[in-house]
Every structure is written in C-alpha cells, then in structure tokens.
C-alpha cells in the first residue's frame, strides 16, 4: 500500500516536507515536486519561492536583465535600477 500525501508533504511515506511549510508549500508561489523541491512561478525565486522578482507588467526585470536566486535583478549592459528600466548615460 502507498500513502496519499496531503498539504506540503511528499515522498513514499509522506515524510518529506516541502519548503515553506506544510500549510503553505513553496510559499504558495510554486509547485512542490514529488521529491519535495519547489518549482517556482515565473516571478518567484528561492528554495521556497519566497523572493519576488521586480517586474514590469509581469515580466521579470522588464526583460532587460535576469532575476537571480534572491529575487534581485541583474541588469543587462546599459541598464540599471530595481527593474532594469533606467538606461545608463551613454548606454554603458
């Protein structure tokens, strides 16, 4: 017989707890996989999807950079600011 896991519990005997808490797996911003890891929604990062990326109209970092593991934008060359929407003077 196998167990049917509920809430944020996973694994063959439901002993693996998803990151976040068993009541709020993946901080409700992602899916908990069968091996109790979070697959975060597009705007969230972190082991428990606890960091929200700055966005412009739902696009992380305004498509002018990447959102790192702690929810901060790392802007492409020529851009800066929280959402990478500020152009650098002279474009560099």
């Amino acid at each position: 017989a196998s167990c049917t896991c509920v809430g944020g519990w996973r694994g063959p005997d439901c002993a693996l707890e998803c990151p976040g808490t068993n009541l709020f797996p993946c901080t409700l911003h992602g899916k908990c996989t069968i091996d109790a890891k979070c697959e975060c929604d597009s705007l969230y990062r972190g082991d428990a999807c606890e960091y929200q990326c700055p966005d412009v109209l739902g696009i992380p970092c305004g498509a002018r950079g990447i959102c790192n593991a702690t929810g901060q934008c790392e802007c492409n060359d020529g851009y800066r600011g929280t959402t990478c929407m500020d152009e650098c003077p002279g474009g560099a």
Side-chain angles (χ1 to χ4, degrees), residues 19-44:
T21 68
N22 65 348
L23 293 177
F24 302 106
C26 303
T27 322
L28 301 180
H29 296 297
K31 285 191 248 181
C32 187
T33 64
I34 196 163
D35 58 350
K37 307 274 187 228
C38 290
E39 290 179 356
C40 300
D41 297 339
S42 66
L43 286 178
Y44 292 86

Side-chain angles (χ1 to χ4, degrees), residues 34-91:
I34 196 163
D35 58 350
K37 307 274 187 228
C38 290
E39 290 179 356
C40 300
D41 297 339
S42 66
L43 286 178
Y44 292 86
R45 302 290 187 274
D47 289 341
C49 306
E50 69 271 35
Y51 302 114
Q52 183 173 0
C53 301
D55 72 286
V56 177
L57 303 174
I59 301 167
C61 304
R64 293 181 175 180
I66 61 159
C67 185
N68 67 23
T70 59
Q72 303 294 311
C73 289
E74 295 179 7
C75 302
N76 296 338
D77 288 344
Y79 297 98
R80 63 182 176 186
T82 305
T83 58
C84 300
M85 296 308 289
D86 299 326
E87 291 190 47
C88 296

